[in-house]
Amino acid sequence: MADSFKIDFQAHGKVESGDLIVFVGENLKPTAAVAKQLGPKAVDLIAKAAAAENFKGKAKSAMSIVVPSSLSVDRLLVIGVGGEKDRTNVDFVQLGGLIAGKVNGKLATVVLDLPEIEVTPDAVADIAIGVQLRRYSFDRYKTKKDDNDAKNGGRLVLSVADPAAVRKIYKAREGIQQGVIIARDLVNEPPNVLGPQEFAARAQALAKLGVEVEILDDRAMKKLGMHALLGVAQGSARGGRIAIMRWNGGKANDKPIAFIGKGVVFDSGGISIKPGAGMEDMKGDMAGAACVVGLMHALASRKAKANVVGAIGLVENMPDGNAQRPGDIVTTMSGQTIEIINTDAEGRLVLADVLWYVQDRFKPKFMIDLATLTGAILVALAQEYAGLFSNNDELAERLTAAGKATGERVWRMPLGPEFDKMIESRFADMKNAAGRFGGSSTAAALLQRFVNDVPWAHLDIAGTAMGSPQNEINKGWSSGWGVRLLDRLVRDHYEARG
């Protein structure tokens, strides 16, 4: 949940109270228009204060002047935009987060007239999204709250050249911000509250936005032959679910595009149980499914002109007298068999059945799955990139471009016949674990066996979805990673083509 600002968009004008935020370059000068608004005394005050505080106007640096004598505001906050190199590729969402982090009052006005940086209505909308994402916190279960917390509401005025144009764009994009927050909330929820059934109910709430939602229970999945997914679920007292979400915003005859999420609401490892230290974090092993729900919210909210299928496999992996064992062999919906080597390699079993179901039923243009799948991806990429595996170069390139545009970056990893050979089993068609070497690639190789010839990409988000490094728009444990990436992919490469 977020302690969001009330954001207003207003035309440039005189500011009488609260915090006033302006921007300067490395020469410590605001734009001519802002300098005129502030007056010569205030501009001179900025230069004197900068000299006293050794403020150089570098990108992301800030200086605060309390009760500036020449202005009627409570505080003048000066943010640096840096030099020419810094101004070339400004991440406006991150800039919004930076602004939100500097505001500590009930009212603040930001003059979005930046030295040598064009601030379009699109850029302002991104700044507003960044502000709200930075304000996010998850304190639903805290009974004592800090009354002095600076996040307790507030009003932020973004002073812009064309308020009407900004309002229109922001209204269309507000659903993206909401989708990220939905994903964060889902990942942050405790596992005793959010089981497979409860998660499915959260997905079903998308029906209010016009999303068609269908829930498959254990009985329906058994009838379909989804024994890989059901094998994971059988150790838990809580049955599994699959939620199918459909947004039909494109042409009636257009094939859909599909997004699939791993939704292990808690992963103990099963019989191959994990160590106790850090196991509480395994409530986040459903971050891929959380992203898909957040994405479907974003697309439906802005009435995306695309046909989209979202599918999430929801299970809990627990040790129990009925749990599957190493050595078991399960038959997937595709008819292919998998030998269980390690019950903690369960996410690929869930995805195998869901991927097959989606490609078989919906015949999509492409499929992308997201999963907190392997610890090996953290060894390779730390927490800076998600691992990208794909059977289609064009899809991989588009994902890479969307990652660069949003800051949710992906790095393409190898996927070839050598890795497929490593998952061969003596007793079944394949095995679910192939040892330590190339662990992320062998996991992806197994998934590839369930996509047929459909263009497909797998995103291993184990390092980016939870516990990832904090930045200007995320100060919590769950990042909501992937919602902005995939919304951008849809917007730039599929809606744009009609």
Side-chain angles (χ1 to χ4, degrees), residues 3 9 30 32 43 63 108-109 119 158 161 179 184 202 244-246 273 309 323 336 346 387-388 477 498:
D3 284 314
F9 305 103
V43 173
M63 174 182 68
T109 301
V119 185
L158 299 183
R184 289 178 178 179
R202 299 276 185 104
I244 308 294
M245 299 155 280
R246 300 182 68 182
I273 197 164
V309 173
Q336 299 175 86
E346 84 299 329
L388 164 63
W477 183 70

Side-chain angles (χ1 to χ4, degrees), residues 217-380:
D217 60 12
D218 287 341
R219 183 176 179 182
M221 290 186 282
K222 187 174 182 179
K223 188 174 181 180
L224 288 166
M226 295 182 168
H227 299 294
L229 186 153
L230 290 170
V232 178
Q234 72 188 41
S236 173
R238 303 189 284 187
R241 294 289 186 274
I242 290 179
I244 308 294
M245 299 155 280
R246 300 182 68 182
W247 171 253
N248 299 312
K251 296 177 182 177
N253 295 325
D254 277 358
K255 288 184 176 181
I257 55 181
F259 301 95
I260 294 95
K262 169 190 169 183
V264 180
V265 297
F266 184 76
D267 182 18
S268 69
I271 295 297
S272 308
I273 197 164
K274 295 178 181 289
M279 193 191 286
E280 68 277 7
D281 287 350
M282 288 301 98
K283 71 176 186 176
D285 208 20
M286 30 59 72
C291 171
V292 172
V293 173
L295 173 66
M296 297 301 292
H297 175 96
L299 296 175
S301 293
R302 66 176 179 79
K303 301 192 182 304
K305 295 178 180 179
N307 296 330
V308 185
V309 173
I312 54 177
L314 305 170
V315 299
E316 182 176 41
N317 187 23
M318 296 290 282
D320 176 81
N322 195 48
Q324 68 180 1
R325 298 152 290 264
D328 285 1
I329 293 176
V330 294
T331 302
T332 66
M333 182 185 175
S334 70
Q336 299 175 86
T337 57
I338 304 175
E339 179 188 6
I340 308 303
I341 302 298
N342 187 327
T343 65
D344 195 24
E346 84 299 329
R348 63 204 73 180
L349 301 174
V350 173
L351 290 173
D353 276 336
V354 182
L355 284 166
W356 185 267
Y357 176 82
V358 170
Q359 64 83 31
D360 184 59
R361 177 179 172 184
F362 297 109
K363 310 294 189 294
K365 291 179 183 176
F366 72 81
M367 301 191 294
I368 297 174
D369 76 76
L370 302 95
T372 48
L373 204 65
T374 67
I377 204 67
L378 281 89
V379 177

